[in-house]
């Protein structure tokens, strides 16, 4: 429990949820798996790139977006009176989360299946959207919208620097927002 009034050690937190602390420590100390760091994505086949984005980026985003939403609501509710910038930031963050959820679905259901079909096709591939430039331009516009939301979040949050009195949830919110934009 890393939120307001937490201060529970790892052993106690693990005992509460029935997890072996040794397992958690081993996972934390395990070397990071290769996430394509050695792949030159500029020349990789598009199907391989699309699959990598799904496996790594989308998996990460599907895990973190609900966490951001939960943390944003909690931190604004608990700390909004003392930090009114959180109340300004909350609709921007929640709007961005909603838009990113839809964006991920469109990539997974429309764009990436089309790219995968192109990658394995022996002839022309038609899509329900005319030219592939239509969904690509939509995805680019949505990326721009997310970038603008992040700019606003940075401005309102002093560049995602938590104040001195920030609790663990407050700090986790900022850390997670920072991780999502990488």
């Amino acid at each position: 429990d890393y939120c307001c009034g937490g201060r529970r050690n790892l052993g106690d937190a693990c005992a509460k949820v029935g997890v072996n602390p040794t397992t958690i420590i081993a996972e934390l100390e395990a070397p990071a798996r290769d996430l394509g760091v050695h792949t030159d994505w500029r020349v990789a086949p598009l199907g391989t790139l699309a699959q990598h984005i799904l496996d790594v980026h989308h998996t990460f985003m599907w895990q973190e977006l609900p966490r951001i939403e939960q943390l944003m609501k909690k931190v604004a509710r608990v700390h909004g009176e003392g930090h009114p910038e959180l109340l300004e930031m909350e609709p921007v963050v929640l709007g961005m989360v909603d838009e990113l959820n839809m964006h991920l679905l469109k990539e997974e259901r429309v764009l990436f299946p089309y790219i995968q079909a192109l990658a394995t096709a022996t002839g022309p591939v038609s899509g329900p959207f005319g030219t592939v430039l239509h969904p690509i331009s939509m995805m680019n516009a949505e990326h721009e919208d997310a970038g603008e939301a992040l700019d606003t979040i940075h401005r309102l949050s002093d560049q995602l620097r938590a104040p001195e009195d920030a609790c663990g949830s407050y700090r986790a919110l900022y850390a997670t927002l920072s991780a999502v934009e990488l």
Side-chain angles (χ1 to χ4, degrees):
D1 182 0
Y2 55 85
C3 187
C4 307
R7 315 264 191 276
R8 194 173 299 140
N9 69 39
L10 180 63
D12 292 343
C14 287
K16 182 177 180 181
V17 296
V19 176
N20 183 338
T22 305
T23 303
I24 300 299
I25 291 169
E27 287 181 23
L28 291 171
E29 291 176 342
R33 61 188 167 103
D34 179 11
L35 299 177
V37 175
H38 303 293
T39 303
D40 185 350
W41 294 113
R42 296 170 298 176
V43 296
L46 283 179
T48 303
L49 175 59
Q51 193 60 53
H52 176 76
I53 291 170
L54 289 168
D55 292 345
V56 177
H57 178 64
H58 280 218
T59 298
F60 174 77
M61 294 298 281
W62 285 123
Q63 176 183 332
E64 296 303 312
L65 289 174
R67 184 168 182 249
I68 288 171
E69 181 176 7
Q70 176 189 27
L71 286 168
M72 183 72 252
K73 288 176 180 178
K74 178 180 183 179
V75 170
R77 183 183 74 248
V78 173
H79 299 286
E81 187 175 313
H83 295 278
E85 68 277 5
L86 291 168
L87 300 177
E88 279 187 78
M89 203 169 93
E90 184 178 23
V92 177
V93 169
L94 298 180
M96 181 185 74
V97 166
D98 286 344
E99 287 183 22
L100 287 172
N101 281 323
M102 291 304 299
H103 177 83
L104 295 173
L105 285 173
K106 287 183 224 174
E107 284 184 342
E108 291 175 8
R109 294 182 180 168
V110 178
L111 183 59
F112 290 167
Y114 184 77
I115 290 171
Q116 296 289 11
L118 283 174
T120 59
T122 57
V125 176
S126 63
F129 39 72
T131 173
V132 73
L133 293 177
H134 290 118
I136 288 174
S137 66
M138 175 64 74
M139 298 297 121
N140 284 336
E142 291 171 359
H143 281 233
E144 291 295 321
D145 290 345
E148 289 173 16
L150 285 167
D151 288 345
T152 301
I153 292 164
H154 274 271
R155 180 179 51 77
L156 292 170
S157 67
D158 188 29
Q159 307 306 317
L160 294 175
R161 284 190 284 267
E164 289 296 317
D165 65 339
C167 69
S169 291
Y170 202 142
R171 293 181 190 286
L173 170 64
Y174 282 14
T176 306
L177 284 166
S178 181
V180 161
E181 71 180 319
L182 294 178

